[in-house]
Amino acid sequence: MTAVARTRARRRNARIAGLVCGALAAGGLAAAGTGTLRPEAAHASSHREAPLISGQPQYDNTDVYAFVSPDRTDTTTIVANWLPFEEPAGGPNFYTFAEDARYDVHIDSDGDAQGDLLYRWTFDTRTKNGDTFLYNTGPVTGLDDPDLNVTQTYDIDLLRLKDQKTVSTTKVADDLPVAPSHVGKASMPNYGKLRDQAVRKLPGGTTAFAGQADDPFFLDLRVFDLLYGGDLSEVGRDTLAGYNVNSVALQVPSATIRQSEKQPTVGVWSTTQRRNAAGKWTQVSRLGAPLVNEVVVPMKDKDKFNASSPWNDKDFLPYVTKPELPRLIESIYKIKAPKEPRNDLASVFLTGVKDLNQPPNVRPAEALRLNTSVKPTASPKRLGVLDGDNAGYPNGRRLGDDVLDISLQVVQGELVGQKNDLGDAVNANDREFGKSFPYVALPTSGSRGPLAEKGGGSGSGSRDALGGAMPGSTSQGSGDSEDTVLVASAAAGGAGLLLVALGLLWWRTRAGGAGPRGRGSGPVGG
């Protein structure tokens, strides 16, 4: 092949990669060189995965994470998030859990698609002074501070189930405090202290947390603006950077949620229930493995999926085994889609991977499946099992797993011999995760961004709901940085070859199916 032909082929591959990345909004890149660019304010994403729930953010599940705790390897940590797109400065009514909701996390310990355990969070809200519009009436230094005007507490109940019916109910936690929304630096001068006070140890080796956190999902989801603007001009930015969510987190001894040491895999998913007009509890949202309802289930069945149970997931099986996306790519770019039925996708999204996290006699169902006997690695790899790190997605989901990049490569045939490295130039979260429970990053506060200084100049002072000026830095440390690493360019042969469409996105191809990222020998590794 001539140099000109190689150049044309690579440019064509870059265009194709852009469409594929857009279609699934996958995160991650493989770049020969990088540059930085300070992005504008973050834009919206697809957490609102179904029509009905998009208008009910307090009841809307965003993501579920389940992983063996890296610093307490005999325990499992589960994080479930709700209420997407929390703008930090969104007062005066900041972000609370709904009082008329049941926030549930389900555990299936035998792979039959029926929950065996159900952890249920319910919340209560108190307002000290209804004669003020303020969330807090002065600087808040503790969760019991009288200046914290709006407070929430929560209970956790553990329901044991048999054939989808409750056998027993145990009170796990009673009247625990919720960490408040991070109003700003003047209102909450030491938010980390407030968050620490909301972490509570419970009997039996369990630890609990509920409160606001930085949204841990990282990706560029402007795909919905006609595939990144229709010309790939909109890629490479973490569109959830700067937004917060409401999180519940629970760390429990693994032995209490798995069936046995011989059957250590559990299925995890979250749901939300609220009362309907007749006063009956109705499920309105559901989430387990990422991306299923967003990009696998078609529009006509998204609300049905949110109201359904894993036991009935055979109704959605054709959308996984005969997915829309690969056929779309083939129709537009004439790239042959992997053969159907896509049993490789079923193993990732429905059954678990054989010899890793697939329970015996498993019933196909959408859930996050975690083998609790796989110990964490000291050096986690963002591509998880695809890169030989069996402690990562799709074996559970850690906060730092680049699930979009992983899912994109799998959809494009990574597990059936069609090797690829695709990405949208978003490799990591904008804020650093913690090294101990609850691991989620502190939320971004309302005190951020440059403000006008006295005299008219553009300065870096910060303010919050109480109007307190905070001259100086615009961020709270390295975790507040909104810089996004974008792809620059790479050299080919003796001349500079632009591999990135519009300087933002590129696709690294590998000769002979091998690439420089270094695959391991895990059960689904290449």
Side-chain angles (χ1 to χ4, degrees):
M1 181 182 292
T2 66
V4 173
R6 286 195 297 271
T7 298
R8 289 175 176 169
R10 286 171 176 168
R11 286 175 176 166
R12 176 175 174 271
N13 285 343
R15 291 195 299 270
I16 294 167
L19 174 72
V20 177
C21 292
L24 191 56
L29 78 154
T34 61
T36 60
L37 175 70
R38 186 151 188 96
E40 299 173 359
H43 297 280
S45 85
S46 72
H47 276 358
R48 298 172 295 189
E49 72 285 343
L52 289 179
I53 200 61
S54 65
Q56 306 173 44
Q58 280 186 303
Y59 312 91
D60 189 358
N61 306 67
T62 64
D63 289 284
V64 179
Y65 301 81
F67 51 91
V68 177
S69 309
D71 56 334
R72 293 184 61 196
T73 58
D74 61 337
T75 68
T76 294
T77 294
I78 298 170
V79 177
N81 297 331
W82 281 265
L83 217 163
F85 315 125
E86 293 183 7
E87 163 56 45
N93 296 304
F94 286 91
Y95 305 100
T96 57
F97 290 93
E99 292 183 278
D100 64 340
R102 290 172 169 175
Y103 298 96
D104 294 341
V105 169
H106 306 251
I107 310 292
D108 172 14
S109 60
D110 55 14
D112 65 355
Q114 299 186 67
D116 299 295
L117 302 174
L118 186 154
Y119 288 95
R120 171 166 291 161
W121 284 256
T122 52
F123 292 84
D124 183 53
T125 306
R126 299 179 180 90
T127 302
K128 296 184 178 75
N129 181 5
D131 292 328
T132 178
F133 65 86
L134 291 171
Y135 183 78
N136 57 292
T137 56
V140 176
T141 58
L143 294 182
D144 58 353
D145 195 310
D147 286 323
L148 183 56
N149 191 38
V150 180
T151 61
Q152 283 199 300
T153 57
Y154 67 98
D155 296 348
I156 304 176
D157 293 301
L158 173 60
L159 284 65
R160 297 186 181 276
L161 309 172
K162 180 68 174 178
D163 296 329
Q164 305 182 73
K165 295 182 179 180
T166 302
V167 175
S168 65
T169 302
T170 303
K171 182 71 69 176
V172 174
D174 184 31
D175 211 30
L176 298 185
V178 176
S181 295
H182 193 349
V183 175
K185 296 178 182 178
S187 291
M188 297 170 180
N190 188 347
Y191 187 85
K193 177 182 176 182
L194 297 179
R195 213 273 284 275
D196 290 344
Q197 292 177 7
V199 175
R200 297 300 176 98
K201 294 186 180 299
L202 306 175
T206 297
T207 309
F209 167 80
Q212 192 180 51
D214 169 74
D215 192 333
F217 205 7
F218 51 93
L219 71 165
D220 190 328
L221 270 176
R222 287 171 298 167
V223 54
F224 300 109
D225 183 12
L226 290 179
L227 295 179
Y228 289 123
D231 58 1
L232 302 183
S233 60
E234 297 185 3
V235 290
R237 190 175 302 162
D238 182 355
T239 46
L240 291 180
Y243 285 118
N244 300 322
V245 291
N246 277 13
S247 295
V248 301
L250 197 66
Q251 189 175 75
V252 297
S254 298
T256 65
I257 61 173
R258 65 191 183 195
Q259 187 181 65
S260 65
E261 290 187 4
K262 292 183 178 180
Q263 205 307 89
T265 295
V266 296
V268 181
W269 67 95
S270 65
T271 61
T272 315
Q273 294 185 14
R274 67 178 306 187
R275 292 189 186 276
N276 60 19
K280 295 182 179 180
W281 289 102
T282 303
Q283 181 178 306
V284 296
S285 185
R286 167 190 168 193
L287 202 143
L291 301 175
V292 173
N293 202 3
E294 289 86 346
V295 299
V296 176
V297 178
M299 188 71 69
K300 65 179 182 179
D301 281 339
K302 287 183 179 295
D303 292 326
K304 177 183 176 181
F305 181 88
N306 262 347
S308 67
S309 299
W311 179 261
N312 298 316
D313 277 355
K314 64 180 184 301
D315 295 343
F316 307 101
L317 181 62
Y319 302 140
V320 176
T321 57
K322 296 182 179 181
E324 177 183 7
L325 178 59
R327 287 182 273 116
L328 174 64
I329 296 168
E330 181 174 16
S331 67
I332 295 175
Y333 287 101
K334 313 308 177 186
I335 298 175
K336 190 173 180 59
K339 293 182 179 180
E340 298 175 348
R342 294 294 303 277
N343 293 325
D344 58 314
L345 298 186
S347 71
V348 172
F349 293 117
L350 299 178
T351 66
V353 179
K354 187 174 177 57
D355 298 325
L356 176 59
N357 64 338
Q358 184 180 115
N361 305 313
V362 64
R363 181 186 178 106
E366 191 275 302
L368 196 61
R369 299 190 186 277
L370 172 68
N371 184 336
T372 60
S373 69
V374 177
K375 299 301 182 183
T377 175
S379 301
K381 297 179 180 179
R382 68 179 181 88
L383 294 181
V385 176
L386 279 185
D387 206 3
D389 180 0
N390 287 347
Y393 184 77
N395 181 28
R397 181 184 180 185
R398 301 169 299 195
L399 296 173
D401 286 338
D402 199 343
V403 297
L404 293 174
D405 200 41
I406 296 166
S407 298
L408 174 63
Q409 294 180 22
V410 169
V411 164
Q412 286 303 102
E414 184 78 17
L415 304 184
V416 291
Q418 295 184 198
K419 303 297 183 180
N420 64 86
D421 284 287
L422 302 172
D424 70 348
V426 182
N427 279 353
N429 194 44
D430 61 309
R431 296 175 68 86
E432 185 176 358
F433 298 124
K435 299 186 184 302
S436 60
F437 183 85
Y439 305 105
V440 290
L442 292 176
T444 300
S445 80
S447 301
R448 60 173 186 161
L451 298 176
E453 294 179 338
K454 290 182 179 180
S458 176
S460 58
S462 299
R463 296 180 184 272
D464 64 20
L466 290 178
M470 304 292 290
S473 173
T474 61
S475 71
Q476 299 171 322
S478 60
D480 267 339
S481 173
E482 294 180 9
D483 289 350
T484 301
V485 177
L486 304 181
V487 182
S489 61
L497 173 64
L498 186 64
L499 295 181
V500 185
L502 301 178
L504 294 174
L505 180 65
W506 84 302
W507 182 22
R508 182 185 67 214
T509 56
R510 296 163 296 153
R517 76 183 178 202
R519 296 182 179 278
S521 57
V524 300

